[in-house]
Amino acid sequence: MIAATLSVGFLPLVDAAPLIVAHEMGFAAEEGIALDLRRAPSWSSVRDMLSFGQVEAAHMLAPVPVATALGLGGNGTPLAAVSVLSVNGDIIGVSNDLAAKLRAGGHDFAFRDARAAGAALIAHATQPLRLGVPFPFSMHAELLYYWLTALGLPAPQSVDIRTVPPSLMAAALEAGEIDAFCVGEPWGSMAVENGVGTLLLPGNAIWSFAPEKVLAVRSDWAVAEGQLLGRLIRAVWRAGRWLAEPGSPTLAAELLSRPQYLDLPSEILDRALTGRIVISPQGEERHVPRFVEFHRGAASFPWRSQAEWIGLQLAKRMGLDQTTAAQAARAVFRSDLYRQALAPTQAELPGASSKLEGALIHETAVSSVAGRLFLGPDAFFDGKVFEPDAV
């Protein structure tokens, strides 16, 4: 029996898969809810749909609720990230002209070495480097700033970050409005399909376990509708678990390809889901393990330490007080609500809600409810480790 219909805003991206699968495969119905999935044209529109009560929940860039808590953008409506929808899944691409310069300079497009790719980009790009990202407060922007600054490029002085909706990224590259981009799939692959770009690096080469999208709700709604929120979190968690099963990517790509969702060929969507990425118009292919993750390694857990890292990056970039920003950011990722929602399930939950970020190089057993949880690598490309205030 369906108790309620929840409207959910989303953008046409592969990492909207947990919401689409929850609806199409019946996981929402099993929880007694129906999902009214509403496609939006841009991240600002998704944020505003949620903030102004046009939808109850949203597929959202992980930094947006944090930025809102810091007073950056939006109308100030407090938002809560109650689950991580996806980890990783971003891709960096360059124009064909810039790709030719990189190849002439000896870069091999191996698609795994962030240091080598970044050094080549800095050496051969005209500065300021014009970079397209889907939103100013996004993991795309934070990864680019972190990566290029660590390699010695004084950002933002030497970087011109331009906001381009994901579906228009290839067109902006073709029009010469940007030199490179960082975007979620399938829109990097579409630049390759359209013959206008070459893919340089997956986002997980910069941070191997970056929270990309979250399930966001208004904080007041989370308090008022705790039971419905729990059902929504569980439905999305079950969808993520299904997506992690070996036979799921093919069917998931078919579901996502439908006109009301991404409206693109399933074989292009399958690339991100399987990690087999075509990087150039010439058909070169690279295999990227864990290109996007929905479940394994507690991928959907909203770590407060990840929120704190995002908050500090935003504070440094925007000139805000870092201590205040860290405190505000931690409160946005609601690991408490996630735990409460999944308590009736067999979900393996971490024993802590914060951790060292970047400390794991190999799969590692960690403290958990049943003692069976393994976290995957979460290293930053430069070897740094982020220690939150409260681990």
Side-chain angles (χ1 to χ4, degrees), residues 62-385:
V64 167
V66 175
T68 301
L70 303 186
L72 302 172
N75 69 348
T77 301
L79 304 177
V82 296
S83 175
V84 173
L85 287 177
S86 63
V87 167
N88 304 329
D90 290 340
I91 209 156
I92 296 167
V94 298
S95 68
N96 286 335
D97 287 346
L98 184 49
K101 292 179 182 178
L102 296 179
R103 291 186 192 276
H107 185 61
D108 60 3
F109 283 83
F111 212 61
R112 61 177 179 270
D113 188 335
R115 191 173 295 277
L121 184 63
I122 292 170
H124 295 96
T126 302
Q127 292 187 14
L129 179 61
R130 300 172 304 163
L131 294 166
V133 299
F135 200 66
F137 310 123
S138 61
M139 193 55 69
H140 315 91
E142 298 315 320
L143 289 176
L144 288 175
Y145 278 124
Y146 184 89
W147 176 46
L148 296 175
T149 301
L151 292 174
L153 188 66
Q157 300 94 322
S158 298
V159 176
D160 179 8
I161 296 285
R162 303 185 177 189
T163 301
V164 181
S167 61
L168 299 179
M169 202 66 76
L173 196 68
E174 184 177 19
E177 297 169 2
I178 54 176
D179 306 305
F181 60 74
C182 183
V183 73
E185 277 292 87
W187 301 109
S189 288
M190 288 308 298
V192 173
E193 285 299 298
N194 295 345
V196 301
T198 299
L199 303 181
L200 177 66
L201 199 69
N204 68 359
I206 299 172
W207 183 9
S208 58
F209 203 77
E212 174 52 34
K213 303 298 189 309
V214 295
L215 177 64
V217 299
R218 294 183 304 281
S219 296
D220 59 352
W221 187 86
V223 173
E225 301 289 353
Q227 187 179 46
L228 284 178
L229 176 61
R231 293 181 179 191
L232 178 60
I233 292 172
R234 287 191 295 273
V236 172
W237 175 78
R238 290 191 168 98
R241 182 176 61 177
W242 179 85
L243 282 161
E245 295 175 1
S248 296
T250 299
L251 178 54
E254 293 288 346
L255 295 175
L256 295 173
S257 72
R258 293 177 177 176
Q260 66 268 39
Y261 301 131
L262 274 67
D263 195 21
L264 290 170
S266 61
E267 56 267 24
I268 294 176
L269 308 181
D270 188 67
R271 296 175 190 177
L273 294 169
T274 60
R276 298 193 178 279
I277 309 296
V278 177
I279 69 162
S280 73
Q282 292 72 41
E284 298 169 271
E285 184 178 298
R286 303 288 184 266
H287 181 226
V288 185
R290 302 167 75 240
F291 175 79
V292 62
E293 186 60 75
F294 301 107
H295 180 73
R296 285 180 288 261
S300 61
F301 187 81
W303 293 97
R304 293 185 184 271
S305 47
Q306 293 177 340
E308 186 174 333
W309 183 90
I310 292 169
L312 286 172
Q313 295 301 117
L314 288 171
K316 292 174 186 176
R317 185 152 62 87
M318 306 303 293
L320 305 178
D321 180 78
Q322 295 182 26
T323 300
T324 303
Q327 292 173 344
R330 281 198 301 272
V332 171
F333 274 38
R334 297 297 302 272
S335 51
D336 56 329
L337 297 179
Y338 180 92
R339 291 181 187 282
Q340 183 179 336
L342 292 183
T345 72
Q346 296 180 340
E348 188 62 75
L349 301 174
S353 294
S354 283
K355 62 184 176 70
L356 296 175
E357 298 293 341
L360 301 181
I361 300 174
H362 308 289
E363 189 173 73
T364 303
V366 297
S367 172
S368 63
V369 174
R372 298 189 302 269
L373 180 60
F374 289 80
L375 299 184
D378 68 351
F380 293 97
F381 84 98
D382 57 0
K384 290 186 177 179
V385 174

Side-chain angles (χ1 to χ4, degrees), residues 19-104:
L19 291 167
I20 295 168
V21 166
H23 173 64
E24 293 287 348
M25 297 296 292
F27 297 113
E30 287 177 11
E31 287 293 335
I33 57 175
L35 301 184
D36 175 15
L37 299 177
R38 301 183 184 180
R39 191 166 75 173
S42 68
W43 287 116
S44 58
S45 62
V46 168
R47 178 199 60 197
D48 292 346
M49 287 164 65
L50 182 62
S51 297
F52 291 112
Q54 296 170 352
V55 294
E56 280 85 33
H59 164 234
M60 187 169 282
L61 296 158
V64 167
V66 175
T68 301
L70 303 186
L72 302 172
N75 69 348
T77 301
L79 304 177
V82 296
S83 175
V84 173
L85 287 177
S86 63
V87 167
N88 304 329
D90 290 340
I91 209 156
I92 296 167
V94 298
S95 68
N96 286 335
D97 287 346
L98 184 49
K101 292 179 182 178
L102 296 179
R103 291 186 192 276

